[in-house]
Amino acid sequence: MSGEARVGSSEETELRAPGARGDDPGHDSRPVVANRDVLERRVGGEVLLLRRAGDHELQRLAGVTAATWLVLDRPALVADLVAEAVEVAAGVADPAVVESAVRGAVQVLLEADLIHRVVDEDDEVGR
Amino acid sequence: MRRPDPEVTADIQARLEMVVALSVSGPGDAPQRGAVDGSRVGDKHDWSDGGQALIDAARTFRLTGAMMVAVEAGTVELSDEQLALLHDHHVGALAWCLRLEDRLCEVVERLTSVGVTDLRVIKGSAIAHLDETDPAHRTFGDLDLLVSGAQFDWASAALEDMGAHRPYPERRPGWDHRFAKSATLTFDDGVEIDLHRTICDGVHAVRVPLGRLFADPEPFVLAGQEMLAMDHTARALHACYHAVLGSPTPRLMSRRDVAGYLARTNGDVGPLVAEAERWRGTAVLHEAVGSVLALPGLQAAGVDLSGWSAWWTGTEIPAAEQAVVAAQRRDGSSFGPSRVRVAWEMPGLANRAAYVRGLLLPTADHLASRGVTRSSLVQRVRRRVSN
């Protein structure tokens, strides 16, 4: 079908941060940054992504995962992301919940190969 | 395959024209990732009575992004059901754009690897990334690439090697790289690429200085890969040519593209007018500007086109030039009477002879692919001449 792609088919993956999932990969000393080979569109509070490498799967981010993706066009330490999110959510959400959500989002993005840990200076440009 | 246009009532047409006006970004809007400044808009429009038909029409005319802009700026109010439908339609359109850009990256890589150096991304993706406040505001249904005539055949062959196929063979050997506006190549998954040699059909195709289209390219980045587009002035004029010469009446999305370019000149009409004169396309620019000025709601939307309005009013287009534009719009990409004028204006006797030969004597393969026989073609020409 030309002119439109159906989203919601089996080839699309909706990624949401598992709120209770705060597993720390244990590499907090290295910043994370968005992979460059990703095509992106934003709509409302969502982000549509298509990673050119691998299976060219269309992915749809929402909520904390989308927000985390959007700030990772520049390298950032997970601890800094958490601190910023906790500040933004001050008085609205429990800091522990916010931290868990942000760390979960980073983990989801890493597993989907949408972001990576910076290994050297050449790598720090982001998308 | 293009979806047939649904029946659009006068009311829906008027509302979509309003959406075009309300979603035009001006010189004060952020160049990328920003929003159109809703505060400059006075009136608010409650269209929650418009039902699904209004939203479906926005999808058909590729105006879901424009409608989202108007909704997000608070200038258009929709019902919850309409909003959900608009969101779904827009996500679908954007997902298709991502698929297209994925293919665009592959194609540009391939063309570059086989030595196609005169290559520009034109229309949809280039406009979205270079001329919108957010690329999501401008959706598109296919890919458009411009290559030089000298590299046209390589590019076409490389795309066929990638699995794309042409519905029609070349009109005559050598026709594409010398005279064609474009050739369409389609992949099995529905991705369509219009491979352009130039930006329009007809007399203006002869007049547009092709080398100018490749001068001072403007880059943009897709998934870490650099793409080259035409420069801003050439993009703006191309939008005018596409709006005016690409269809009998300018499509709403094309008018929105033109409106955006005009608004962003911030009243300085000089550079675009001068370039149009060099292209001998003042009549085209005049017609395009007129189609934008006729949009209802531009003034209410705070889009300042007073400089263009003064130019339009004060510029007289000779009747002969108006006739050239009218004939081209009537004939479109078919080979009608306007092609006689093309041959007349074409430089060089050899070129003229080859052009006329191609017009009159397409190959049997080409005719067969279009379901036409030589005798039916002769009859058609006779009818047109006698008319």
Side-chain angles (χ1 to χ4, degrees):
Chain A
M1 179 170 57
S2 174
E4 185 178 327
R6 226 179 76 76
V7 175
S9 63
S10 58
E11 63 178 13
E12 175 228 351
T13 310
E14 194 156 347
L15 300 177
R16 289 177 192 277
R21 199 172 147 187
D23 44 334
D24 185 343
H27 300 291
D28 264 11
S29 60
R30 279 191 281 151
V32 286
V33 68
N35 289 340
R36 291 188 205 191
D37 65 347
V38 180
L39 295 160
E40 177 197 289
R41 288 292 192 279
R42 303 172 194 184
V43 50
E46 294 180 49
V47 183
L48 300 178
L49 300 175
L50 193 151
R51 200 167 67 87
R52 296 212 54 236
D55 49 13
H56 300 243
E57 193 176 86
L58 194 65
Q59 294 171 331
R60 195 167 170 176
L61 312 185
V64 178
T65 318
T68 305
W69 163 263
L70 292 178
V71 299
L72 285 177
D73 57 343
R74 291 284 177 272
L77 290 167
V78 177
D80 291 343
L81 293 175
V82 169
E84 203 173 317
V86 166
E87 195 180 320
V88 169
V92 180
D94 181 344
V97 173
V98 174
E99 174 166 1
S100 170
V102 172
R103 288 187 183 280
V106 169
Q107 187 63 21
V108 165
L109 292 171
L110 282 168
E111 284 171 5
D113 214 5
L114 292 168
I115 64 172
H116 65 280
R117 291 194 180 278
V118 174
V119 289
D120 57 42
E121 282 183 11
D122 293 342
D123 197 25
E124 287 195 9
V125 180
R127 67 178 185 273
Chain B
M1 193 177 295
R2 194 177 149 77
R3 191 185 298 113
D5 289 349
E7 227 172 272
V8 175
T9 63
D11 181 53
I12 287 178
Q13 173 76 19
R15 288 180 178 186
L16 291 179
E17 287 182 355
M18 186 69 79
V19 163
V20 168
L22 293 171
S23 64
V24 171
S25 57
D29 297 317
Q32 287 288 315
R33 305 268 182 236
V36 171
D37 178 7
S39 67
R40 69 171 188 229
V41 180
D43 295 337
K44 298 198 172 188
H45 306 272
D46 182 353
W47 291 343
S48 53
D49 64 342
Q52 183 179 332
L54 175 65
I55 310 303
D56 287 343
R59 174 174 68 169
T60 302
F61 292 98
R62 298 198 199 288
L63 289 171
T64 53
M67 186 77 90
M68 292 290 280
V69 171
V71 168
E72 284 168 6
T75 55
V76 164
E77 204 173 301
L78 300 174
S79 69
D80 289 346
E81 291 76 16
Q82 287 173 309
L83 282 174
L85 187 62
L86 175 63
H87 187 268
D88 283 353
H89 284 348
H90 192 46
V91 166
L94 292 177
W96 180 249
C97 290
L98 291 180
R99 291 263 173 243
L100 289 172
E101 289 185 341
D102 186 26
R103 185 64 46 79
L104 177 61
C105 291
E106 285 174 36
V107 163
V108 168
E109 261 171 32
R110 174 67 74 94
L111 294 185
T112 305
S113 75
V114 298
V116 177
T117 51
D118 303 331
L119 177 63
R120 300 288 178 266
V121 178
I122 58 174
K123 295 170 74 175
S125 185
I127 295 172
H129 288 276
L130 292 171
D131 301 313
E132 293 283 351
T133 55
D134 181 330
H137 296 168
R138 173 63 157 83
T139 58
F140 42 93
D142 62 6
L143 297 171
D144 292 270
L145 290 171
L146 175 74
V147 296
S148 65
Q151 298 181 344
F152 192 95
D153 292 343
W154 297 352
S156 179
L159 289 172
E160 288 189 73
D161 282 349
M162 290 180 75
H165 47 85
R166 297 180 53 151
Y168 310 114
E170 199 172 11
R171 190 172 181 88
R172 280 196 72 81
W175 176 267
D176 284 352
H177 74 255
R178 289 181 77 177
F179 305 120
K181 172 198 173 195
S182 62
T184 298
L185 293 105
T186 308
F187 288 90
D188 288 339
D189 60 2
V191 171
E192 193 176 284
I193 296 187
D194 287 336
L195 188 64
H196 290 252
R197 183 190 67 87
T198 184
I199 58 169
C200 62
D201 264 316
V203 171
H204 288 282
V206 178
R207 296 179 178 179
V208 169
L210 297 179
R212 169 67 185 84
L213 303 179
F214 293 92
D216 303 320
E218 189 169 346
F220 65 99
V221 176
L222 285 184
Q225 193 176 334
E226 184 179 82
M227 304 283 153
L228 294 179
M230 298 190 296
D231 77 1
H232 184 268
T233 304
R235 289 202 305 280
L237 269 187
H238 182 197
C240 294
Y241 277 64
H242 182 63
V244 171
L245 303 176
S247 52
T249 53
R251 293 185 183 134
L252 282 173
M253 195 180 61
S254 303
R255 290 164 80 184
R256 180 173 178 273
D257 288 341
V258 175
Y261 287 117
L262 300 183
R264 286 188 294 275
T265 59
N266 208 9
D268 180 10
V269 306
L272 204 51
V273 167
E275 190 74 36
E277 283 170 7
R278 283 192 287 275
W279 295 17
R280 296 170 59 209
T282 303
V284 180
L285 176 61
H286 194 263
E287 188 74 25
V289 171
S291 80
V292 167
L293 294 175
L295 283 170
L298 268 180
Q299 205 169 0
V303 180
D304 179 13
L305 294 179
S306 53
W308 284 104
S309 182
W311 175 79
W312 188 81
T313 308
T315 302
E316 201 159 314
I317 303 298
E321 283 299 296
Q322 290 179 28
V324 167
V325 170
Q328 177 55 39
R329 296 178 92 165
R330 197 173 48 243
D331 285 352
S333 56
S334 68
F335 289 85
S338 66
R339 295 300 190 263
V340 176
R341 178 72 184 250
V342 176
W344 178 257
E345 290 208 14
M346 190 162 285
L349 202 57
N351 279 336
R352 280 185 205 173
Y355 182 77
V356 171
R357 184 176 150 88
L359 278 187
L360 299 177
L361 297 171
T363 63
D365 279 353
H366 179 85
L367 289 175
S369 71
R370 291 181 174 273
V372 179
T373 63
R374 208 168 285 286
S375 60
S376 69
L377 183 70
V378 170
Q379 281 169 7
R380 194 188 298 174
V381 171
R382 272 190 189 145
R383 265 201 310 274
R384 285 190 171 165
V385 170
S386 64
N387 286 338

